[in-house]
Amino acid sequence: MTGLILRTLLSHWRSRPFQIVTLLLGLIVATALWSGVQAINAEARASYAQAAATLGTDRFDSLRPRGAQRFDQRAYVALRRAGWLVSPIVEGDLRLDGARFRVLGIDPVTAPADLPARPDLQGDALTGFLGQAGLILTGAQTAGRLPADADLPPVRVMDGIAPRTLVMDIGTAQRLLGMSGQLSRLIVLPEAQDGIPPLAVAGIEWNRIAPRGADGGIAALTDSFHLNLTAFGFLAFAVGLFIVYSSIGLAFEQRKPMLRTLRALGVPLRLLMLVMVVELTALALLAGIAGVALGYLIAASLLPDVAATLQGLYGAQVSGTLSLRPAWWLTGLAIAMGGAGLAAADTLWRTARMPLLSAALPEAWHGAQRRAQRVQGIAALGCFALAAVLSQTASSLTAGFVLMGALLIGAALSLPVMLSVILGLGARRARGPLAQWGWADARQQMSRLSLALMALLLALSANIGVGTMVMSFRDTFTGWLDQRLVAEVYVTASDAAQGQEIQRWAQGRVDAVLPIWSTETRLGDMPASIYGVAQHATYSDHWPLIEELPDAWQSLASGQAAMINEQMAGRRDLSPGDRITVPLPDGGEWPMIVAAIYSDYGNPTDQVMVDVDLLSERFPDIERLRFALRTDQTAEIIAEARDRFALPSDQITDQAAIKALSLAIFERTFTVTGALNVLTLAVAALALLTAMLTLQLMRLPWLAPLWAMGLTRAALARAELLKVMALALLTAILAIPVGLGVAWVLTNVINVTAFGWRLPMNVYPADWLRLIGLSLLTAAIAAGLPVLRLARTAPRTLLGVFASER
Amino acid sequence: MLTITDLHKSFETADAPMPVLRGVDMEIATGECVALTGESGSGKSTLLHLVAALDTFDRGSITLDGQEFSGMGDTARANLRRTRIGVIFQQFNLIPSLSVGDNLSFHARLSDRYDAAWQAELTERLGLSELVHRWPEQLSGGQQQRVAVGRAIAARPALVLADEPTGNLDEATGSAVMDLLLDLVAETQATLLMVTHSGALAARLNRRIHLRHGRVAEVAAA
């Protein structure tokens, strides 16, 4: 009997192939966008874990000198002699043809046996690795990216090495990085003693850094980015489910007589429900497989941009190629099934409660709509109340996203109520029967179209919100770049000796030579950069300060004050007048007052700015390579410096080139967001199209009497098109305040908690007009096909509505 | 006057065209009330739809007060329906998004023949005065059919067509609706052509035309 019932139920789809196509399409799109985003996140997190494992920062303690990035390798020898079981590491970045690679130099003899980067080499290979020429070990993808003409040791491909990482012997790494006799850190072997080696052993004050976990600590930085992607994926998934919901709902309405007949013929309700669940599961499985496959394609096409963004924003190395993970496939299928279940729950519930005999009363849409809208209105008020509370209290990323969710869900739920009120007012003011019918009919259609319109509202709000944030960010960023990049020429010497030479040469040729020297250190538990700047009007006149004490710039010269970036102030709750202490390489401390806070967009780490002379005095090993030059002869200076010092173009650039590069990185950062924005809007258009097509089938009995009373099919089609476009227009207008709310949450809550900087929010009415136009176009495309079909409906089909002998 | 001459209509099927009307001839005088009867499949509803200018015929002619239907395009037929014909359906087919009052006046306003005084009188006589602000879904079957009658009559059409107007109502309610319909048709001097299976209803009209296999089989005075 079960097979017979299943065949009977499936026969419905045979007669309505379009319906099953929309159902499957909705589920495929929803699953694809969700699983695509998850695939990107999984790939990125796997890369972080691999990087941490390769570098050994996931399991092993490390020793670093306080306040310095490198130290003399004799300190390592001294520690070993004193019985400390440590292994040396040399780390640094190598730029080859514009691409950045992480160099990891290890000592295979003393490295922990389970360090993935430790090569399992024997014989000639080991000799080659340790020998004068050296040997580079790297992954297959990274090996393929190495420039063919680079002057590098031989390369051997090895599994398990993080993306864009080159593993080699310490000596080879020191040579490639120009770190002769220097080490970056020491890995503390598991069997080594606890604590920190005393100062007396190697003459260095050490920091012992605990393992940073499987992701190497980068996950904390990149969480906001992945949460952003997840939020977009979820939004697209929800919008896709609207399509599934409306398709399943329509199928239920049309199958009602069949279900009643089956029940009347003696099919038990439980069995009927079971067969419906089996049918749904089979469809969900089919759509899930296709959705996950499509998600893979989406993820594969977006991953290179995501990898570039993560590297640009956080310095995180992510593989640009997607791996197939069984867990991801299974999750994708589960999501498809769960989504289908969610979308069908209402239909299954109504089937279970369906009376065996059909009621003779016509569809009581008015009362039902009013009741539903009352419930939606109350739920929307609840969401808005939650959003209002969170807008004052949210201080974490999760709370920020809950706030955005509450705002969006509240707006979506209140949309039918607001549209209903507007349409009711319109109907009251309408002149002429056709206009009156148009308003009233649009109001009636709300119950069937509201889900699709909610999807459109969500997509448009997200577009306005993210667009406003990105454009505000772009405007702020370009203004900030103009303020910050004041010098005309920026030059980086190849080594310290050349740096001195350039400084001497430039002093007689340009208006001012401003050293930009920096060092990396740890303040408390977190890393920070210490930047030195010269006392010059270039900084005091232009540098973008957010808060400052009086005479902030003058107080820097005394060495008793420093400026800090906005993210450091936010993370450490510092304000002008507070005290900070910078550890020095000699074991001493440098206490300072925070004289000012400056904006520092795009920098994930904390930054302290001090006087450059004092910095080089207290950090004697600092690299003295970078300079900003003030001159009104930019082209001549660049040409002369290139000739005289044989500087490649990436070591001497003018202000415009740096700005262009910064803006290019900025634009690429938001490529993925833009792509997801467009995809979400496309899904909303699809939801509107499927809703219109399904609605058209149901609306024939409502339209046929009008036709019978003397309206042509073309006039009815025009009225239908006008109505859908009017609804889309109203939705787009209502999406503007919601989108601005989303933008406010992004700029004032999520950005602050995720990145540490606050953005001024600007408004872009021209962009709203573009989106209103886009939503009208979306509506016109979505309504185009159904309206065309209505205009061409055969009179016989319309007459079917009136046939008494049915 | 409604004149139908040698009217043919067939529908396309998978195998071959299926003739439904095979040469119908009839003449109905202005103000006359005629019942159209016949077995299922005899072509009653098809004939009614053709007279209502809802569909086109293959051959023959229909004229209403000298106005020929053949050769009319979609717009002309829509114009004819709007201005000269009122139709009452078995399923009522009210517009669910409009209130009872708006449904009643809809056709008259659509054809620019709205007359507030007549509308008010019609509403009163149909017993719908208390219900004008309600929605169709809130009415009983009898009340809905009264709205449908009012809607068809409000524009004072030359021709009223009714397709089993009491088919969905019980006998008493159906009879009351018929009383109202016949009164109003007489008062507006409209011509009435009504499809019915009921001999009792047919007996209340001036004439009965019986269709069989797409042809007029019998014409009888009631």
Side-chain angles (χ1 to χ4, degrees):
Chain A
M1 182 160 69
T2 309
L4 181 66
I5 298 168
L6 185 61
R7 276 201 302 280
T8 312
L9 285 176
L10 288 176
S11 68
H12 170 81
W13 305 115
R14 207 167 40 238
S15 60
R16 289 178 176 83
F18 165 75
Q19 224 173 71
I20 196 164
V21 166
T22 56
L23 194 158
L24 290 174
L25 201 62
L27 209 46
I28 287 170
V29 169
T31 311
L33 287 174
W34 172 260
S35 59
V37 163
Q38 292 313 312
I40 290 171
N41 286 347
E43 192 61 48
R45 290 198 173 113
S47 291
Y48 307 151
Q50 203 179 23
T54 305
L55 302 176
T57 52
D58 60 336
R59 274 165 291 169
F60 306 107
D61 281 13
S62 290
L63 291 179
R64 283 186 185 276
R66 289 183 74 192
Q69 283 296 91
R70 54 178 73 172
F71 59 94
D72 195 304
Q73 66 185 22
R74 281 175 296 192
Y76 158 66
V77 177
L79 283 181
R80 288 292 296 198
R81 281 188 183 148
W84 282 85
L85 293 174
V86 289
S87 179
I89 296 284
V90 172
E91 285 171 319
D93 285 345
L94 188 65
R95 283 203 169 271
L96 297 170
D97 273 4
R100 200 172 69 166
F101 297 88
R102 182 188 283 265
V103 169
L104 179 68
I106 61 162
D107 173 20
V109 179
T110 57
D114 49 353
L115 183 75
R118 179 180 157 154
D120 188 16
L121 301 172
Q122 290 175 345
D124 288 348
L126 183 60
T127 314
F129 188 83
L130 294 169
Q132 188 64 34
L135 178 68
I136 291 177
L137 304 174
T138 190
Q141 278 178 34
T142 312
R145 289 197 180 104
L146 287 170
D149 56 351
D151 182 20
L152 293 173
V155 176
R156 174 180 283 219
V157 172
M158 191 172 122
D159 290 338
I161 293 181
R164 293 172 190 269
T165 302
L166 309 174
V167 176
M168 57 194 76
D169 176 56
I170 281 211
T172 315
Q174 286 173 329
R175 182 156 48 82
L176 283 180
L177 295 172
M179 287 175 60
S180 179
Q182 300 283 302
L183 298 176
S184 304
R185 64 184 166 100
L186 299 172
I187 287 180
V188 182
L189 302 186
E191 55 272 35
Q193 66 245 60
D194 293 337
I196 299 169
L199 178 66
V201 177
I204 290 177
E205 281 271 359
W206 298 98
N207 276 336
R208 184 162 178 152
I209 299 156
R212 282 184 272 169
D215 54 40
I218 196 79
L221 284 173
T222 55
D223 257 358
S224 55
F225 182 82
H226 294 299
L227 203 56
N228 243 323
L229 285 187
T230 305
F232 254 116
F234 184 74
L235 185 65
F237 180 68
V239 169
L241 282 194
F242 287 158
I243 303 174
V244 183
Y245 177 84
S246 60
S247 302
I248 291 177
L250 177 70
F252 169 74
E253 288 298 330
Q254 290 179 338
R255 286 207 295 201
K256 247 185 194 169
M258 180 200 281
L259 298 176
R260 284 205 176 97
T261 307
L262 286 170
R263 291 286 320 280
L265 290 173
V267 176
L269 178 64
R270 198 172 289 180
L271 182 61
L272 191 60
M273 298 289 296
L274 180 73
V275 175
M276 284 176 77
V277 169
V278 168
E279 180 197 30
L280 187 72
T281 309
L283 290 174
L285 198 63
L286 198 68
I289 292 169
V292 174
L294 184 62
Y296 179 84
L297 294 178
I298 291 172
S301 65
L302 291 180
L303 196 60
D305 278 327
V306 171
T309 303
L310 287 166
Q311 186 180 330
L313 270 180
Y314 311 103
Q317 303 285 351
V318 173
S319 163
T321 315
L322 202 62
S323 312
L324 276 171
R325 296 166 209 282
W328 171 68
W329 273 94
L330 291 174
T331 316
L333 292 180
I335 277 289
M337 303 239 197
L342 203 65
D346 175 49
T347 292
L348 291 172
W349 173 250
R350 281 192 289 160
T351 308
R353 297 184 59 198
M354 183 178 66
L356 197 55
L357 295 174
S358 69
L361 287 171
E363 189 195 9
W365 74 272
H366 196 261
Q369 193 176 69
R370 207 164 35 195
R371 278 192 298 278
Q373 286 184 358
R374 194 176 304 140
V375 174
Q376 284 175 335
I378 292 168
L381 283 177
C383 287
F384 286 140
L386 176 65
V389 171
L390 284 173
S391 68
Q392 301 301 312
T393 58
S395 57
S396 70
L397 208 54
T398 313
F401 275 100
V402 172
L403 163 59
M404 186 142 68
L407 178 69
L408 283 172
I409 294 169
L413 287 172
S414 64
L415 178 73
V417 185
M418 286 193 283
L419 284 180
S420 210
V421 170
I422 295 169
L423 295 171
L425 285 173
R428 235 171 280 162
R429 288 169 178 267
R431 288 184 179 177
L434 205 56
Q436 192 183 23
W437 167 77
W439 286 100
D441 189 64
R443 200 171 167 203
Q444 187 190 16
Q445 269 180 279
M446 281 300 306
S447 55
R448 292 280 168 192
L449 268 184
S450 59
L451 272 179
L453 291 173
M454 283 181 193
L456 186 65
L457 179 90
L458 291 179
L460 289 173
S461 306
N463 259 281
I464 292 172
V466 174
T468 303
M469 187 271 281
V470 172
M471 285 188 283
S472 296
F473 197 177
R474 186 185 288 119
D475 287 354
T476 309
F477 187 67
T478 46
W480 173 79
L481 274 181
D482 288 342
Q483 281 182 298
R484 191 144 165 179
L485 295 176
V486 178
E488 289 74 16
V489 178
Y490 292 84
V491 58
T492 306
S494 300
D495 52 44
Q498 191 185 50
Q500 281 179 346
E501 254 184 85
I502 290 173
Q503 198 170 9
R504 271 197 301 274
W505 163 79
Q507 264 155 0
R509 299 279 292 108
V510 299
D511 300 336
V513 181
L514 309 169
I516 311 170
W517 298 337
S518 68
T519 186
E520 303 296 315
T521 187
R522 294 184 79 81
L523 296 180
D525 291 338
M526 288 189 281
S529 311
I530 315 289
Y531 262 76
V533 292
Q535 292 293 319
H536 194 269
T538 297
Y539 297 110
S540 52
D541 290 354
H542 300 283
W543 199 261
L545 297 181
I546 299 168
E547 283 181 83
E548 59 187 299
L549 295 179
D551 301 324
W553 288 102
Q554 288 80 345
S555 61
L556 238 59
S558 70
Q560 288 170 354
M563 296 182 180
I564 60 172
N565 64 2
E566 188 185 3
Q567 32 281 58
M568 178 167 169
R571 281 191 202 113
R572 299 173 195 245
D573 196 20
L574 292 171
S575 305
D578 288 347
R579 292 191 159 273
I580 57 167
T581 302
V582 173
L584 297 173
D586 62 6
E589 288 182 333
W590 186 1
M592 285 175 283
I593 288 172
V594 175
I597 295 167
Y598 55 92
S599 51
D600 191 16
Y601 303 117
N603 181 5
T605 54
D606 294 357
Q607 199 178 82
V608 179
M609 204 162 73
V610 296
D611 180 82
V612 71
D613 294 334
L614 292 168
L615 178 75
S616 53
E617 186 185 298
R618 291 174 192 192
F619 287 82
D621 292 338
I622 199 169
E623 275 188 338
R624 294 166 169 84
L625 302 180
R626 294 201 70 210
F627 302 93
L629 308 180
R630 299 305 311 266
T631 177
D632 52 5
Q633 295 174 306
T634 307
E636 292 85 342
I637 288 293
I638 290 177
E640 199 180 325
R642 273 187 190 153
D643 281 351
R644 182 183 279 261
F645 303 105
L647 289 172
S649 57
D650 64 339
Q651 282 184 240
I652 181 154
T653 44
D654 62 10
Q655 186 197 81
I658 292 188
K659 279 183 187 169
L661 180 70
S662 303
L663 283 173
I665 291 170
F666 177 90
E667 297 298 345
R668 188 149 195 204
T669 300
F670 291 102
T671 308
V672 180
T673 312
L676 285 174
N677 244 344
V678 171
L679 282 174
T680 312
L681 202 59
V683 178
L686 195 64
L688 200 58
L689 171 70
T690 53
M692 282 299 298
L693 284 169
T694 51
L695 196 60
Q696 188 209 357
L697 299 170
M698 304 170 75
R699 280 175 52 75
L700 224 48
W702 304 344
L703 296 174
L706 291 155
W707 171 74
M709 279 187 273
L711 286 178
T712 59
R713 289 167 291 169
L716 282 175
R718 275 197 301 276
E720 286 291 276
L721 183 65
L722 210 64
K723 240 182 310 170
V724 176
M725 291 187 68
L727 285 172
L729 177 68
L730 287 173
T731 305
I733 291 169
L734 291 172
I736 293 171
V738 183
L740 290 179
V742 170
W744 184 87
V745 176
L746 283 170
T747 50
N748 287 279
V749 180
I750 290 179
N751 260 340
V752 177
T753 50
F755 303 109
W757 61 72
R758 193 179 296 270
L759 289 172
M761 189 181 120
N762 305 327
V763 289
Y764 301 89
D767 195 53
W768 306 342
L769 286 178
R770 183 183 65 82
L771 273 169
I772 287 175
L774 203 62
S775 65
L776 286 177
L777 185 70
T778 303
I781 292 170
L785 182 62
V787 159
L788 205 64
R789 280 168 60 167
L790 175 65
R792 292 180 177 173
T793 305
R796 200 176 165 190
T797 310
L798 288 161
L799 284 172
V801 172
F802 308 119
S804 55
E805 288 165 7
R806 279 181 288 182
Chain B
M1 174 176 296
L2 176 70
T3 309
I4 299 169
T5 313
D6 192 26
L7 196 68
H8 284 76
K9 173 75 181 174
S10 54
F11 291 116
E12 292 297 322
T13 64
D15 302 325
M18 184 183 71
V20 179
L21 299 179
R22 304 160 187 254
V24 174
D25 294 285
M26 66 174 71
E27 207 164 86
I28 303 173
T30 302
E32 195 180 6
C33 294
V34 175
L36 193 58
T37 60
E39 292 150 12
S40 294
S42 61
K44 306 182 296 292
S45 289
T46 302
L47 178 61
L48 196 82
H49 293 156
L50 294 179
V51 175
L54 290 169
D55 205 354
T56 53
F57 42 87
D58 304 335
R59 189 146 55 88
S61 94
I62 303 174
T63 58
L64 178 63
D65 296 334
Q67 190 173 7
E68 173 60 54
F69 285 21
S70 62
M72 272 187 179
D74 210 27
T75 311
R77 280 189 288 122
N79 189 39
L80 184 70
R81 291 197 298 272
R82 201 163 57 240
T83 54
R84 309 217 57 205
I85 301 171
V87 189
I88 302 161
F89 301 104
Q90 181 182 358
Q91 313 286 341
F92 326 134
N93 294 101
L94 301 181
I95 298 169
S97 53
L98 297 181
S99 67
V100 167
D102 290 334
N103 261 288
L104 274 169
S105 62
F106 190 79
H107 197 176
R109 293 168 68 199
L110 201 62
S111 57
D112 271 338
R113 301 172 86 162
Y114 179 72
D115 174 347
W118 168 236
Q119 193 71 43
E121 185 189 335
L122 198 57
T123 308
E124 177 71 32
R125 288 176 61 180
L126 287 164
L128 295 170
S129 301
E130 304 294 315
L131 305 175
V132 285
H133 297 300
R134 292 207 186 170
W135 301 96
E137 72 197 37
Q138 295 170 318
L139 304 186
S140 68
Q143 288 168 331
Q144 289 197 50
Q145 195 59 301
R146 275 188 275 153
V147 178
V149 168
R151 181 177 69 182
I153 299 288
R156 296 179 185 273
L159 179 63
V160 175
L161 301 168
D163 191 0
E164 293 271 12
T166 59
N168 269 348
L169 306 175
D170 62 66
E171 200 173 325
T173 310
S175 178
V177 168
M178 266 317 286
D179 290 344
L180 278 168
L181 175 62
L182 292 177
D183 277 357
L184 291 168
V185 164
E187 197 171 319
T188 56
Q189 296 172 331
T191 304
L192 173 69
L193 179 62
M194 182 172 77
V195 169
T196 181
H197 278 117
S198 162
L201 278 186
R204 297 182 62 180
L205 307 189
N206 304 123
R207 235 177 349 137
R208 189 178 74 166
I209 297 175
H210 191 76
L211 290 188
R212 187 176 299 136
H213 303 308
R215 290 195 182 92
V216 175
E218 187 187 347
V219 179

